[in-house]
């Protein structure tokens, strides 16, 4: 290795993640050199306001991102975020044959196809492990370790903010607004939590996961999305009463079988009840976990810290070592694999199950009126629980799998029955036999 040309790195962004990337690169310089087979040299750090970055060597800081990307660097690490100008910078880097490591889920969920094409044109690497579930090694297993298997389902908790809120609601019985306030006070939710609580962040991650798992291009626009703002204390209590808990899930699954002649995929983000015995139910606070099912490998679970400067920087550094090694041996990591081109099934045609909790009049014939609506929509009931009160009754129904459209129509019609006083809670159910 003596005399080996250093791998020169441009770091774009030095915020929560970038600062930790610099620290790890500096603290572990000797080990990284040994692992890569060449020194890894930080050539420059692009930021907006150099004056506020006293923690990094001043001579490395620049505001001229284009000049840094166009300089003689081998690798561009992007931890700025957002679509533009990150997209333009990374296209420029890849077109010039520089490898790219990015943590930018928003960008990848929209433009991974374009970025991969630019990478292919020059033989450059594009790695993005940190973009989904922070520190958890998840994309490499999907892209490489499981490349010989057939993945059927990826279901996970990929947003720490919403998991912190839902875990809090479950343990205290408090409502959504109150728990969000607490999460903001403790620094778990951002001042503007929209991207997290409305499910945009998880939808970007779901698009990336589905693309890799099913060898198809899926963008954020293909992902059905519901956030957690409408999850009520009553929903959480209803779940608890049935031995379930509520999680915001990113679900990517193959949909095939006799009724769906053409194989397709369903990609969606929404709150769902899962059994308290399911492995994902034990994932609390800001942690992430992803459950993967594959034909030959069976069920696997990936668990760990999904955010934070150091955990995310760990994933970035892992990618940096991989692309640097590839450059030392003039090799290349995996390219885009989108050969399957599976279509994404609209949400209305996705197979789902519902939990429906109703307040109904307690008199003869009510149950049969409600059951008739299910039959009319060809929705099969899996379980019914009725508890009488003084002059009304609580009726809880869990369905078998049906199309989401049929289930929605059923709920709409039931809500309009004169014998139904209130639809207390409606939520999808996941993680159980259909
Ligand atoms: P921050 O907001 O903390 O940092 C962003 C950095 O980018 C800052 O240093 C900022 O400069 C710099 N920057 C912004 N705009 C420009 C610009 N036009 N020119 C030059 N520099 C610019 O973001 P994070 O570190 O939290 O996130 C970075 C990326 O990592 C995002 O894509 C995010 O989604 C992803 N990610 C983050 C995780 C986390 O836990 N934070 C987890 C997983 C992924 P300045 O400091 O001067 O303002
Ligand atoms: N806002 C994200 C979360 C950060 O809450 O999980 C990691 O992408």
């Amino acid at each position: 290795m003596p005399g080996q040309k250093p791998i020169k790195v441009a770091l774009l962004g030095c915020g929560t993640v970038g600062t930790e990337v610099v620290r790890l690169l500096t603290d572990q310089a000797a080990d990284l050199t040994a692992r890569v087979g060449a020194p890894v040299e930080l050539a420059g750090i692009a930021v907006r306001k150099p004056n506020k970055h006293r923690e990094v060597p001043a001579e490395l800081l620049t505001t001229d991102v284009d000049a840094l990307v166009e300089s003689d660097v081998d690798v561009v690490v992007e931890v700025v975020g957002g679509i533009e100008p990150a997209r333009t910078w990374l296209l420029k880097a890849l077109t010039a044959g520089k490898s790219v490591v990015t943590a930018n889920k928003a960008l990848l969920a929209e433009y991974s196809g374009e970025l991969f094409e630019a990478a292919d044109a020059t033989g450059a690497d594009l790695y993005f492990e940190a973009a989904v579930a922070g520190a958890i090694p998840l994309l490499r297993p999907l892209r490489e370790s499981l490349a010989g298997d057939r993945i059927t389902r990826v279901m996970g908790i990929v947003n720490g903010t919403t998991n912190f809120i839902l875990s809090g609601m479950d343990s205290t019985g408090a409502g959504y607004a109150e728990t969000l306030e607490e999460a903001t006070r403790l620094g778990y939710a951002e001042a503007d939590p929209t991207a997290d609580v409305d499910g945009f962040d998880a939808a970007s991650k779901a698009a990336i996961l589905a693309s890799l798992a099913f060898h198809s291009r899926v963008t954020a626009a293909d992902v059905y999305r519901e956030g957690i703002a409408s999850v009520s204390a009553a929903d959480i209590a209803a779940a608890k009463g049935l031995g379930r808990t509520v999680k915001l899930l990113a679900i990517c699954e193959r949909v095939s079988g006799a009724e769906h002649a053409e194989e397709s995929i369903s990609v969606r983000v929404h709150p769902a009840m899962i059994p308290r015995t399911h492995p994902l139910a034990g994932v609390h606070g800001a942690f992430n976990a992803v459950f993967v099912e594959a034909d030959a490998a069976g069920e696997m679970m990936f668990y760990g810290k999904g955010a934070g400067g150091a955990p995310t920087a760990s994933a970035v550094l892992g990618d940096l070592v991989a692309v640097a090694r590839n450059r030392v041996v003039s090799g290349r990591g995996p390219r885009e694999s989108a050969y399957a081109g599976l279509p994404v099934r609209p949400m209305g045609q996705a197979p789902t199950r519902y939990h429906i909790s109703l307040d109904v009049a307690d008199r003869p014939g009510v149950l049969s009126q409600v059951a008739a609506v299910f039959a009319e929509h060809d929705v099969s009931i899996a379980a019914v629980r009725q508890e009488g009160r003084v002059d009304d009754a609580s009726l809880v129904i869990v369905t078998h799998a049906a199309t989401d459209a049929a289930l929605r129509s059923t709920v709409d019609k039931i809500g309009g029955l004169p014998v139904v006083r209130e639809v207390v809670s409606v939520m999808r159910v996941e993680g159980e036999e259909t």
Side-chain angles (χ1 to χ4, degrees):
M1 195 187 317
Q4 178 73 44
K5 209 165 119 292
I7 301 293
K8 290 189 168 187
V9 178
L11 178 65
L12 314 188
C14 195
T16 306
V17 180
T19 308
E20 289 299 314
V21 169
V22 175
R23 185 180 66 77
L24 292 180
L25 267 175
T26 312
D27 292 356
Q28 306 185 143
D31 285 325
L32 292 174
T33 300
R35 290 173 201 168
V36 167
V40 180
E41 184 184 300
L42 194 49
I45 306 171
V47 292
R48 268 178 313 200
K49 299 174 196 132
N51 291 341
K52 80 175 197 200
H53 293 279
R54 307 249 177 258
E55 73 287 2
V56 295
E59 67 277 12
L60 291 181
L61 291 168
T62 178
T63 53
D64 193 343
V65 187
D66 289 302
L68 180 59
V69 170
E70 285 160 13
S71 69
D72 64 345
V73 295
D74 302 286
V75 182
V76 172
V77 175
E78 185 266 316
V79 282
V80 170
I83 307 281
E84 287 292 358
R87 171 173 164 258
T88 303
W89 295 332
L90 298 193
L91 284 173
K92 184 179 280 187
L94 292 165
T95 304
K98 297 163 200 298
S99 297
V100 163
V101 172
T102 175
N104 193 333
K105 59 225 157 190
L107 176 64
L108 287 158
E110 295 284 346
Y111 293 104
S112 64
E114 183 185 35
L115 292 168
F116 270 119
E117 278 162 21
D120 270 353
T122 58
D125 272 335
L126 173 61
Y127 276 59
F128 44 93
E129 183 65 67
V132 182
I136 308 173
L138 174 63
L139 304 191
R140 191 94 39 99
L142 293 179
R143 260 176 121 179
E144 300 184 39
S145 323
L146 291 164
D149 208 333
R150 180 177 177 273
I151 295 172
T152 50
R153 199 159 203 256
V154 179
M155 178 167 92
I157 296 164
V158 292
N159 183 269
T161 307
T162 47
N163 200 50
F164 182 86
I165 295 169
L166 292 172
S167 295
M169 289 172 73
D170 186 89
S171 60
T172 64
Y176 166 74
E178 195 184 329
T179 314
L180 170 59
E181 219 174 280
E182 176 75 352
T184 310
R185 197 180 60 74
L186 294 173
Y188 284 97
E190 293 188 29
D192 177 4
T194 314
D196 293 314
V197 298
D198 287 350
F200 290 102
D201 175 79
S204 293
K205 292 166 178 170
I208 296 169
L209 289 172
S211 302
L212 298 182
F214 305 126
H215 304 273
S216 301
R217 271 190 195 170
V218 179
T219 66
D222 296 320
V223 182
Y224 174 81
R225 177 188 54 78
E226 275 177 31
I228 62 164
S230 60
V231 177
S232 65
D235 292 326
I236 303 275
K240 264 187 167 175
L242 290 163
R244 297 189 177 105
T245 187
V246 177
K247 297 289 184 191
L248 182 72
L249 297 180
I251 301 164
C252 317
E253 61 191 357
R254 275 181 203 271
V255 185
S256 49
E259 70 277 34
H260 308 299
E262 186 191 20
E263 187 170 51
S264 59
I265 49 183
S266 166
V267 192
R268 51 193 208 264
V269 167
H270 55 70
M273 289 184 184
I274 56 172
R276 293 185 98 82
T277 50
H278 192 281
L280 290 176
V283 178
H284 299 298
F287 276 81
N288 283 190
V290 178
F291 200 69
V292 178
E293 295 170 37
D295 278 351
E299 296 177 343
M300 289 151 279
M301 175 130 137
F302 299 82
Y303 171 82
K305 288 188 178 156
T312 309
S314 164
V316 170
L317 262 284
D319 281 355
L320 179 53
V321 167
V323 303
R325 278 176 179 155
N326 289 343
R327 291 190 91 86
V328 168
V329 298
S330 302
R332 200 177 167 208
R335 302 157 52 183
E336 182 187 32
S337 175
Y339 72 92
L342 294 177
V344 179
R345 188 164 279 268
M347 184 60 185
Q349 291 172 29
T352 57
R353 298 181 66 199
Y354 273 32
H355 158 281
I356 303 154
S357 176
L358 308 169
D359 272 354
V360 295
D362 193 4
R363 57 170 188 264
V366 171
L367 193 53
S368 68
Q369 282 187 50
V370 172
V373 179
F374 281 88
E376 213 177 281
H377 291 86
D378 209 17
V379 173
S380 172
I381 293 173
V384 180
R385 195 174 79 183
Q386 181 171 345
E387 271 169 28
R389 293 192 284 246
V390 179
D391 61 351
D392 65 0
S394 150
L395 188 59
V396 175
I397 297 163
V398 180
T399 73
H400 281 299
T403 63
D404 203 73
L407 286 159
R408 276 178 191 235
S409 307
T410 307
V411 172
D412 286 349
K413 181 126 188 218
I414 284 173
L417 290 177
V419 293
V420 172
R421 295 189 176 156
E422 191 189 350
V423 177
V424 179
S425 160
V426 177
M427 195 165 291
R428 297 185 183 88
V429 177
E430 292 289 338
E432 296 174 27
E433 291 303 310
T434 56

